[in-house]
Amino acid sequence: MVRWSVVIPSEQWATERLFQQDVVVVKGGPAGVSPGDEALLIADDHVVALGRVEKAGEYLALAYLRRAFDEPIPAGDLVAGGAVAEADFERFAERLGRPLPKRSWLVSVALPIEAAGPAEAVRQFWSHVSDLGPRELPTYVWPSGDELAMQAFVLGIEANQDPEEEDED
């Protein structure tokens, strides 16, 4: 089996970080890639995941095996978009580590809505969520049972939502 590196374009990477997907599809890829091959996925000069090629051709479909979305690994001198030496591949695969065990999280979006009734409020809520989306709408997340650990995220990145703290800067 040949080991590869595949580049995720910056614009696609920005979207990829926002939504949980099992497979990423990228246009192009190294010549010779075959289903079953493994690839390091590179975005913005960082190794962000390890995947298995599901389909090859003009578009590559890669199933995620491991992810480092929140702590990408600098790619250094790793050749982007080509065959990867076994030792280099194993070094990055080891740094990606094994998937962490899953735990329960509570995720919330709360918006003040003025409406004539609850059904209208729900419709307006979903319209706002659709219009604002993850690029503008803060989402709150905390481990189940630990509400004091609540954090706000925008674009998949922790974002301070306390205006008093912003004024202190």
Side-chain angles (χ1 to χ4, degrees):
M1 172 187 340
V2 180
R3 306 291 180 90
W4 305 94
S5 65
V6 173
V7 176
I8 301 174
S10 293
E11 303 80 31
Q12 183 179 1
W13 168 237
T15 301
E16 197 64 25
R17 291 189 68 230
L18 297 178
F19 302 98
Q20 180 74 20
Q21 306 290 339
D22 293 331
V23 174
V24 60
V25 176
V26 294
K27 185 173 182 173
V33 173
S34 299
D37 289 349
E38 291 183 342
L40 296 170
L41 286 80
I42 299 175
D44 296 337
D45 298 321
H46 286 78
V47 175
V48 298
L50 171 67
R52 181 182 52 253
V53 177
E54 299 293 315
K55 292 183 183 177
E58 181 180 353
Y59 290 88
L60 290 179
L62 300 118
Y64 286 112
L65 300 175
R66 300 181 206 164
R67 303 171 204 239
F69 285 13
D70 300 322
E71 295 180 18
I73 303 164
D77 58 357
L78 183 67
V79 176
V84 176
E86 184 70 24
D88 290 336
F89 189 91
E90 292 302 325
R91 180 171 47 93
F92 280 101
E94 184 177 314
R95 287 190 63 195
L96 286 168
R98 298 281 172 220
L100 296 174
K102 296 196 179 212
R103 62 190 277 198
S104 293
W105 295 86
L106 296 175
V107 180
S108 173
V109 174
L111 294 171
I113 305 276
E114 292 185 22
E120 180 184 341
V122 169
R123 286 190 295 276
Q124 286 187 36
F125 171 84
W126 287 115
S127 294
H128 288 309
V129 168
S130 177
D131 290 344
L132 296 173
R135 297 183 192 285
E136 297 179 51
L137 189 63
T139 305
Y140 301 91
V141 61
W142 63 96
S144 183
D146 188 4
E147 291 78 13
L148 295 177
M150 183 185 295
Q151 298 172 305
F153 282 77
V154 177
L155 284 174
I157 299 171
E158 190 173 349
N160 182 5
Q161 297 296 304
D162 186 346
E164 290 180 9
E165 286 184 21
E166 289 176 5
D167 291 340
E168 293 173 5
D169 292 339

